[in-house]
Amino acid sequence: MSSFIYEKVGFVDHTTERPGVYKEVILNDGSILHVPDEGEILDKGTPVNARTLGHMEDGIYKTSILASENRDLLINHSVRLAVLEGNAMNNIGHNMFIVNFANLDSVELAHGVYDPVGKRMVI
């Protein structure tokens, strides 16, 4: 399992003296153009661009990979714990083993039953 610590971008809002204020400029063809007139920029803010959004997207992707790996580990540990609990409840202290089978292509089943949903053999 890999390790991943996401480094935050530290987004800062763009703030101005008069946020959301525009002035109208009448163009030669009679149309009106709205031009920002927000006054002095108090804080430039963090740009929202491919670099910052790509950083977030990479973090989300890496986190989803780790979540998937963790899910697989939890399932594996849950199965192992269930086997240990079952063996302890039935006084079976030896010959415990777990093998996962994706299919039986390389196995000749002489005794027991193959469970394709659980990908396991029950003997």
Side-chain angles (χ1 to χ4, degrees):
M1 182 172 82
S2 57
S3 173
F4 169 69
I5 303 296
Y6 179 79
E7 291 186 30
K8 293 172 64 172
V9 171
F11 282 95
V12 176
D13 284 337
H14 175 83
T15 54
T16 61
E17 185 180 12
R18 297 183 309 273
V21 175
Y22 294 85
K23 65 180 175 182
E24 290 185 347
V25 176
I26 300 173
L27 302 177
N28 292 336
D29 64 359
S31 61
I32 298 173
L33 176 66
H34 291 115
V35 178
D37 187 23
E38 299 181 313
E40 183 182 342
I41 295 174
L42 303 175
D43 197 325
K44 190 174 178 182
T46 308
V48 179
N49 55 31
R51 185 181 59 78
T52 55
L53 293 176
H55 176 76
M56 289 189 338
E57 187 176 42
D58 289 344
I60 292 167
Y61 176 73
K62 288 177 183 176
T63 301
S64 69
I65 296 288
L66 286 174
S68 178
E69 290 174 359
N70 287 339
R71 182 199 65 230
D72 294 344
L73 284 172
L74 283 171
I75 290 170
N76 182 281
H77 289 311
S78 295
V79 169
R80 294 172 63 97
L81 180 60
V83 168
L84 289 172
E85 286 176 337
N87 288 343
M89 298 288 279
N90 293 300
N91 290 324
I92 301 172
H94 58 283
N95 291 336
M96 298 181 292
F97 66 93
I98 300 171
V99 178
N100 291 328
F101 295 97
N103 56 53
L104 289 181
D105 291 348
S106 62
V107 176
E108 183 178 330
L109 182 61
H111 301 286
V113 177
Y114 176 66
D115 172 13
V117 175
K119 296 180 182 171
R120 64 189 182 126
M121 198 167 15
V122 181
I123 302 174

